[in-house]
Amino acid sequence: MLGLAYGDLLQGKAYRARSVRLSRPSFDALVNRDRPRPPFVKSPLMVHEALAAIRQPLQVDRLMITNGNVRYCERTAWSRPGCADVRAVSLSVEGLANRAQAAAAILLRGQGDLMDAGTLKVVMSIPITPPDFSFHYSGSLSMMDLTRLDGFLDIAEHTRIKSGSAQEAGVRH
């Protein structure tokens, strides 16, 4: 961390830093699809809701992640999980805060290697204090052999890709 506001932190007034750098972090998620979701279970918080739930002011001017790994897995009854991996993740986040002007937004740029087969890139602009959860994003996927997704699709979606490749893909919203 650089530029940490120690006084505010020690007094419990605020969490502020100019920059935070993380090297080689790992994030794993396992979704258990054995049973249907119980009714009336509260949905997880969206980004702006999670930030607003932090009582003290939070401000990180820049968060940088290098060489990270993300693994998303789904499991059904009595099976091993189907997993999708994104490796060599690099991420840059600017303007991470929970209190800001109405027009302020968090800017996220990232990329990583999807299933060691294609480069996935994403750019997001996430408003800090939206009246509803809305954000703008764009992304792309480089050329890749789509059969590399079978390790996930076969178990999680009971689907296999016999052959095929993506030349490129993109989305903008």
Side-chain angles (χ1 to χ4, degrees):
M1 277 192 220
L2 296 174
L4 182 63
Y6 286 105
D8 287 347
L9 178 66
L10 293 173
Q11 293 174 15
K13 291 182 180 178
Y15 308 109
R16 292 190 169 108
R18 276 196 318 267
S19 95
V20 175
R21 293 176 185 252
L22 300 172
S23 179
R24 298 176 51 199
S26 184
F27 175 77
D28 294 335
L30 174 61
V31 176
N32 186 348
R33 298 186 81 187
D34 287 350
R35 295 175 235 143
R37 190 172 172 189
F40 308 113
V41 171
K42 188 176 178 183
S43 296
L45 297 176
M46 300 306 287
V47 173
H48 70 292
E49 294 169 328
L51 288 170
I54 300 170
R55 294 178 197 252
Q56 292 80 11
L58 167 72
Q59 179 182 347
V60 176
D61 296 335
R62 185 164 187 165
L63 168 65
M64 292 177 294
I65 294 175
T66 56
N67 202 22
N69 292 303
V70 175
R71 173 171 263 203
Y72 174 81
C73 301
E74 291 185 6
R75 184 178 74 88
T76 57
W78 301 289
S79 72
R80 63 181 171 76
C83 297
D85 295 309
V86 183
R87 297 194 175 132
V89 173
S90 63
L91 192 68
S92 172
V93 181
E94 295 176 12
L96 182 60
N98 64 349
R99 314 267 194 289
Q101 301 289 332
I106 299 166
L107 180 60
L108 180 146
R109 291 182 180 95
Q111 78 173 46
D113 298 330
L114 178 62
M115 304 297 280
D116 292 325
T119 301
L120 182 63
K121 295 181 181 181
V122 66
V123 175
M124 293 181 168
S125 176
I126 306 167
I128 295 172
T129 57
D132 59 354
F133 184 65
S134 62
F135 62 97
H136 296 282
Y137 63 90
S138 63
S140 65
L141 175 64
S142 70
M143 186 174 133
M144 75 175 276
D145 176 0
L146 293 176
T147 63
R148 298 295 297 268
L149 297 172
D150 282 345
F152 172 74
L153 292 174
D154 193 25
I155 295 168
E157 302 299 327
H158 306 291
T159 302
R160 274 186 100 49
I161 298 173
K162 292 183 179 184
S163 66
S165 64
Q167 300 306 311
E168 70 176 320
V171 66
R172 189 170 197 84
H173 175 61

